[in-house]
Amino acid sequence: MSRECEKSKSANMRKPLTLPQPGEIWELSPQIRYYGDFQPNNQHKLYSNEAQSFLQTKTPSRYVMIVTEPDAEIVSVMVLSGETNFISDVDLLIPADISGLTQDLLAETWHVQPMLINNLLQSVGKRLSRDIYDILLTIGDYFHGLVNQPPETNTIEKLGLNLGINQALKAPKISLFHEREEAWSDVLTIPVAAYHTYIKSVNFASQILNEQLQLEQELAEFEFSHNIFTDLLSTSWNHTYTILSRWTQSIFDAEWQAVSTLPNLVNTYGGAQPIATRSFTSPNVPSKPDEIAATIQELSSTTDELQRQYAAKRLGEIAVGNSEAIQALVNLLRSTSDDELLWIAVESLRKIDPENPAAGVKRMKLIDLGMEIAGEAVALAVGFLQKIDGDVSVLLQVYSTGNNDYLPPDLKLRLQDNSGNIWREVIARRADICIQLKFSGEIGEKFSVQIGLGNTNFSENFVI
């Protein structure tokens, strides 16, 4: 993303005087602002009736609780409502003496949305305590199936929050209230969608130029092998696609196995380099509450990406089964759009809570060329995870699975589009047990993975 282009286009956009912080309550502006040239002439065609009423200032002021620190121009928020007669087990009442406002508010724990920070008007009331913030997010995570247990009722009530009975959500009035609130949240989501469209248009020309330069360089360096792969692609795209989105519904071919079913396999999501290094399973390290708490604090407070990566990785080593560490990693996965940090967090979450659904999906298959490449058995692993910006992060890995711990030198992993263009390539060196690539794509986007050594090649086609 070209930050210079983005800043020049958005220089006239009004921003809050201070950046919003997690746990703060902010009032929303009814004057929606957009990026670029997007200015809807007929808003009634885009927005629901509930959203239009708010934009026309026909309804009372609306508020949100900040969930994450801003990422670029976007922040995640929990929707709050002044309609306090719809209290339920997922719509909790925040009394005025806790929020510092002149009215009680209903926290819709199930209703977290991204929004542009430019459409926040002002910070109001008091910043909610960390305990209240964590409780609200945990209740929402339980509703969406991200955690196994909800907070205890007495724990919620001790914090001064009020909640309804578990059956309240089934009441028709509560369901109707949720439908209205989802419709109202158009005021949050439509400007975000317009922002993503604007960013893609700003970067389109430079992206095409960079890809052309990269392709020219690769064609010069790998002309012979490129011709081999291109010939293979001319027929391979007529073959069946593996549809990744179906994996989330447990729909996959039998050849795509769970990681744990393949023998002699090192289970790692890799580090900061595109080529993995040797890994091993260390003895269980006893949990250290003080170190865990300090690492969680570092993960949420620092803006240095390398420090955040270290903190996320460290939690996977010291916090097995720790509920606060699990929640911190889940929060990170739903707030970061950085592929490197995302997959480090996934690796750590799988270590300390292996069945957590927030860690996305990962499957593996043995290569189908006589089960071997040049006498060396290898496996292709594919992991993917939905990102907060709407894209999908994909991880590709190739492992040695035979008696030899290392991949054969010069084995290549290539990522290509459905036109045969090479996006990226990584080549195994001596003593590499794994090579990998990470990238982001859109739902429905097609790509091809190729693995080659000498004149032996394997190709697999995917749809995100």
Side-chain angles (χ1 to χ4, degrees):
M1 179 181 299
S2 173
R3 295 292 182 189
E4 291 76 12
C5 292
E6 179 182 341
K7 291 178 180 178
S8 64
K9 285 286 187 179
S10 59
N12 295 325
M13 292 286 289
R14 176 196 58 79
K15 296 180 182 293
L17 295 178
T18 58
L19 289 178
Q21 298 297 316
E24 293 179 344
I25 298 175
W26 281 70
E27 182 181 355
L28 299 181
S29 171
Q31 299 178 351
I32 297 297
R33 292 170 171 83
Y34 306 91
Y35 274 76
D37 299 326
F38 181 83
Q39 294 295 336
N41 296 324
N42 299 311
Q43 283 196 348
H44 64 280
K45 294 182 179 180
L46 291 176
Y47 290 92
S48 64
N49 292 333
E50 292 80 3
Q52 290 182 55
S53 296
F54 172 75
L55 298 178
Q56 295 167 4
T57 65
K58 294 180 180 180
T59 57
S61 300
R62 291 300 304 257
Y63 304 93
V64 294
M65 184 193 77
I66 306 301
V67 172
T68 63
E69 294 182 357
D71 184 359
E73 305 294 337
I74 297 175
V75 64
S76 294
V77 299
M78 179 180 292
V79 176
L80 307 177
S81 174
E83 298 184 75
T84 57
N85 53 327
F86 293 104
I87 188 172
S88 72
D89 58 329
V90 292
D91 301 281
L92 274 64
L93 185 72
I94 304 177
D97 59 340
I98 290 180
S99 68
L101 274 69
T102 58
Q103 65 179 102
D104 296 341
L105 291 175
L106 204 64
E108 302 171 12
T109 64
W110 56 275
H111 199 184
V112 175
Q113 296 283 4
M115 69 169 294
L116 297 181
I117 60 174
N118 301 296
N119 290 323
L120 292 169
L121 183 60
Q122 58 185 346
S123 176
V124 296
K126 298 183 293 187
R127 186 177 186 180
L128 300 180
S129 70
R130 179 60 185 263
D131 289 340
I132 293 178
Y133 167 88
D134 287 338
I135 283 288
L136 295 177
L137 292 182
T138 301
I139 293 173
D141 287 342
Y142 176 72
F143 176 81
H144 292 291
L146 298 178
V147 296
N148 297 325
Q149 295 293 332
E152 298 290 339
T153 299
N154 61 348
T155 301
I156 299 173
E157 293 176 341
K158 284 180 180 179
L159 294 174
L161 304 174
N162 298 324
L163 77 164
I165 60 175
N166 292 336
Q167 299 299 319
L169 188 58
K170 298 182 179 180
K173 290 184 178 180
I174 297 295
S175 297
L176 182 60
F177 169 66
H178 284 194
E179 292 176 5
R180 293 204 316 265
E181 289 297 277
E182 287 181 342
W184 172 87
S185 64
D186 284 352
V187 302
L188 307 177
T189 58
I190 288 179
V192 171
Y195 169 77
H196 287 308
T197 300
Y198 158 73
I199 291 299
K200 290 180 180 179
S201 66
V202 167
N203 291 282
F204 181 74
S206 60
Q207 177 183 350
I208 294 297
L209 178 59
N210 290 336
E211 289 180 354
Q212 288 177 338
L213 293 174
Q214 181 180 356
L215 283 174
E216 289 176 0
Q217 180 180 0
E218 292 178 348
L219 285 171
E221 296 176 354
F222 304 103
E223 182 177 0
F224 177 73
S225 54
H226 173 264
N227 289 336
I228 294 175
F229 281 107
T230 301
D231 292 340
L232 182 61
L233 273 181
S234 63
T235 57
S236 66
W237 280 101
N238 294 321
H239 297 171
T240 304
Y241 293 99
T242 297
I243 303 175
L244 296 181
S245 58
R246 291 182 180 175
W247 289 4
T248 60
Q249 306 167 24
S250 297
I251 302 174
F252 40 79
D253 295 336
E255 61 187 0
W256 285 101
Q257 305 174 49
V259 176
S260 59
T261 63
L262 294 181
N264 303 326
L265 196 61
V266 178
N267 183 16
T268 175
Y269 279 89
Q273 300 300 322
I275 300 177
T277 55
R278 172 160 292 278
S279 176
F280 62 94
T281 302
S282 59
N284 292 332
V285 179
S287 297
K288 302 177 182 179
D290 292 342
E291 184 179 358
I292 293 175
T295 305
I296 293 174
Q297 177 63 28
E298 181 180 11
L299 185 65
S300 61
S301 61
T302 184
T303 58
D304 185 284
E305 285 303 308
L306 290 179
Q307 291 183 19
R308 297 183 77 194
Q309 291 176 16
Y310 174 80
K313 184 177 182 180
R314 184 60 179 156
L315 286 179
E317 299 169 349
I318 64 173
V320 175
N322 184 280
S323 60
E324 293 183 355
I326 293 171
Q327 187 61 52
L329 290 171
V330 171
N331 290 344
L332 179 60
L333 289 174
R334 68 186 178 200
S335 62
T336 183
S337 59
D338 179 77
D339 286 332
E340 192 63 49
L341 180 58
L342 183 146
W343 286 109
I344 291 175
V346 165
E347 178 189 6
S348 290
L349 184 59
R350 285 189 178 275
K351 288 180 178 179
I352 67 177
D353 190 16
E355 302 301 322
N356 197 302
V361 181
K362 184 182 182 183
R363 310 291 296 187
M364 288 188 170
K365 68 175 290 186
L366 294 173
I367 296 306
D368 189 22
L369 285 181
M371 309 303 287
E372 296 182 343
I373 287 184
E376 299 291 343
V378 297
L380 170 65
V382 180
F384 71 98
L385 186 68
Q386 187 78 42
K387 299 170 65 176
I388 61 170
D389 58 9
D391 286 345
V392 175
S393 184
V394 180
L395 174 70
L396 307 173
Q397 296 176 313
V398 177
Y399 291 96
S400 173
T401 61
N403 295 326
N404 191 342
D405 291 334
Y406 302 105
L407 289 171
D410 299 324
L411 184 139
K412 298 175 183 177
L413 170 63
R414 276 185 168 176
L415 172 65
Q416 299 185 263
D417 64 15
N418 60 346
S419 298
N421 297 319
I422 303 171
W423 283 348
R424 297 179 62 188
E425 178 185 72
V426 62
I427 304 174
R429 302 169 300 186
R430 295 187 181 277
D432 280 336
I433 62 171
C434 169
I435 55 176
Q436 65 183 16
L437 290 171
K438 308 181 189 78
F439 71 99
S440 292
E442 299 177 344
I443 296 295
E445 186 173 350
K446 300 176 182 178
F447 66 94
S448 173
V449 175
Q450 292 195 343
I451 302 169
L453 183 65
N455 295 326
T456 306
N457 302 290
F458 164 84
S459 178
E460 183 86 12
N461 307 312
F462 297 89
V463 178
I464 297 179

